Amino acid sequence: MVPTQLLNCPVCGEQCTQAGNTLVCPHAHSFDIAREGYVNLLLKKSTGDTRDMLVARRQFLEQGHYLPLANEIQRLVHTYLASKQHLFSAARPARVLDAGCGEGYYLGRLMEHDDTSWPGEYLGLDISKDAIRMAAKRYQAAGFVVADLKERLVLGTQTVDVLLDIFAPRNVAEFARVLVPGGVVVVVIPGPRHLLQLRQQLPLLQIEEGKQQHVQDQLAARFTLLSTIQVHYSLHLVGAEISRLVMMTPNFWHLSDETRQALREMNTLQTEIDFTCLLWKRKG
């Protein structure tokens, strides 16, 4: 279900309307709505995460391995929306954007456990067409768009109440533009001990030193930091679960033949899971 009232043309920036199975703007730029219900507003060819990565991620997440993180995101979003529920109506529902939604797991969890005391509208955006196709097939109550987070976002100004940025690029100026005054951003990044024991066994990508401070410096000019929440626990994995954990991340692009072989030979793993959730409020 494409929320046409939120979307702007990626060519000219004018608001789109729907005519049949096509989005059109006042300057006659048009974009077909796919059979699965999503729309591709990407102007430059790009792939993003591959189908192999996405399938591994869906299988891993559906086993509940990152459920504590999904539950914390749900709590943060619902707490904020509950404080603003008097503003929402059928004509103006609460609007949540998952910027870099992947195959839709976290947005799907939000919708599955939505609080029906206010109407909600959910939109996922990702540069990977395969990711958006998978998300649109599974979570048909949400809208999904193929678009580049690093470009001007294909949404109108001040149209979104909550923006999720979960392990995704951060386009801070555009996040501030599309959020309503006082709207919030939930940024999720890996903590310094994330997958520590796995990274000690395999030559995987390391966590950026000072990553949290870097993110805070990025957002500070346009957002006020409201809270920082650590999600930390131990995870026991066996067999194919270990491979899926590695394959679903950017490590996929950097695996040598030797690392792939070592990964196949790992039968069991006990490793730390460490996430940092940063809740920000738009200034102004």
Side-chain angles (χ1 to χ4, degrees), residues 105-138:
Y105 172 75
Y106 297 102
L107 198 62
R109 289 290 304 178
L110 274 179
M111 292 190 297
E112 289 169 12
H113 300 275
D114 200 0
D115 187 327
T116 56
S117 61
W118 62 80
E121 194 167 57
Y122 298 87
L123 177 66
L125 188 153
D126 201 278
I127 199 171
S128 169
K129 184 177 178 180
D130 286 332
I132 291 297
R133 182 184 291 115
M134 288 178 65
K137 284 183 178 179
R138 173 66 61 86

Side-chain angles (χ1 to χ4, degrees), residues 218-240:
Q218 274 187 314
L219 276 79
R222 291 181 169 88
F223 294 89
T224 300
L225 182 60
L226 299 181
S227 60
T228 302
I229 302 97
Q230 299 299 136
V231 179
H232 185 269
Y233 56 98
S234 181
L235 190 61
H236 180 74
L237 301 173
V238 295

Side-chain angles (χ1 to χ4, degrees), residues 137-149:
K137 284 183 178 179
R138 173 66 61 86
Y139 306 107
Q140 297 180 13
F144 291 98
V145 178
V146 184
D148 189 348
L149 288 184

Side-chain angles (χ1 to χ4, degrees), residues 6-276:
L6 300 184
L7 297 179
N8 285 358
C9 174
V11 179
C12 65
E14 296 288 341
Q15 184 175 359
C16 292
T17 57
Q18 185 170 344
N21 290 323
T22 303
L23 291 189
V24 296
C25 77
H27 296 290
H29 302 121
S30 62
F31 308 89
D32 292 336
I33 298 174
R35 181 179 64 254
E36 296 87 352
Y38 69 89
V39 63
N40 189 342
L41 298 182
L42 193 65
L43 297 180
K44 296 182 293 186
K45 185 177 181 180
S46 183
T47 55
D49 290 346
T50 69
R51 181 163 180 79
D52 287 343
M53 295 173 70
L54 294 161
V55 170
R57 186 177 305 150
R58 174 160 284 179
Q59 292 173 340
F60 182 87
L61 293 175
E62 287 185 343
Q63 290 181 289
H65 296 311
Y66 284 3
L67 187 58
L69 174 60
N71 289 341
E72 184 58 37
I73 293 169
Q74 176 192 333
R75 185 189 69 81
L76 290 170
V77 172
H78 285 187
T79 298
Y80 171 76
L81 292 179
S83 72
K84 303 291 184 180
Q85 63 180 300
H86 61 283
L87 301 176
F88 305 132
S89 64
R92 174 49 173 97
R95 291 167 176 163
V96 179
L97 169 67
D98 189 347
C101 65
E103 46 71 52
Y105 172 75
Y106 297 102
L107 198 62
R109 289 290 304 178
L110 274 179
M111 292 190 297
E112 289 169 12
H113 300 275
D114 200 0
D115 187 327
T116 56
S117 61
W118 62 80
E121 194 167 57
Y122 298 87
L123 177 66
L125 188 153
D126 201 278
I127 199 171
S128 169
K129 184 177 178 180
D130 286 332
I132 291 297
R133 182 184 291 115
M134 288 178 65
K137 284 183 178 179
R138 173 66 61 86
Y139 306 107
Q140 297 180 13
F144 291 98
V145 178
V146 184
D148 189 348
L149 288 184
K150 296 179 181 179
E151 303 291 339
R152 179 179 172 87
L153 296 185
V154 291
L155 287 95
T157 299
Q158 297 185 13
T159 53
V160 175
D161 299 289
V162 176
L163 191 150
L164 307 179
D165 183 271
I166 306 168
F167 317 123
R170 292 166 295 279
N171 189 338
V172 178
E174 281 297 286
F175 288 179
R177 181 184 66 81
V178 301
L179 276 167
V180 300
V184 296
V185 178
V186 180
V187 176
V188 181
I189 58 174
R193 298 186 66 84
H194 186 54
L195 304 181
L196 178 62
Q197 291 72 23
L198 178 60
R199 288 187 282 109
Q200 288 172 339
Q201 296 185 52
L202 297 176
L204 302 180
L205 298 173
Q206 298 300 303
I207 305 300
E208 175 190 344
E209 187 175 351
K211 186 175 183 65
Q212 181 177 335
Q213 186 60 53
H214 173 65
V215 172
Q216 292 179 188
D217 292 342
Q218 274 187 314
L219 276 79
R222 291 181 169 88
F223 294 89
T224 300
L225 182 60
L226 299 181
S227 60
T228 302
I229 302 97
Q230 299 299 136
V231 179
H232 185 269
Y233 56 98
S234 181
L235 190 61
H236 180 74
L237 301 173
V238 295
E241 296 173 336
I242 307 170
S243 295
R244 291 175 190 143
L245 172 58
V246 175
M247 296 292 286
M248 74 183 203
T249 71
N251 288 289
F252 173 86
W253 305 105
H254 304 279
L255 295 176
S256 66
D257 291 340
E258 293 79 7
T259 302
R260 290 177 186 272
Q261 182 60 35
L263 188 58
R264 285 191 290 267
E265 293 173 356
M266 292 182 69
N267 296 317
T268 184
L269 172 71
Q270 190 82 21
T271 190
E272 289 176 79
I273 301 298
D274 185 20
F275 300 120
T276 302

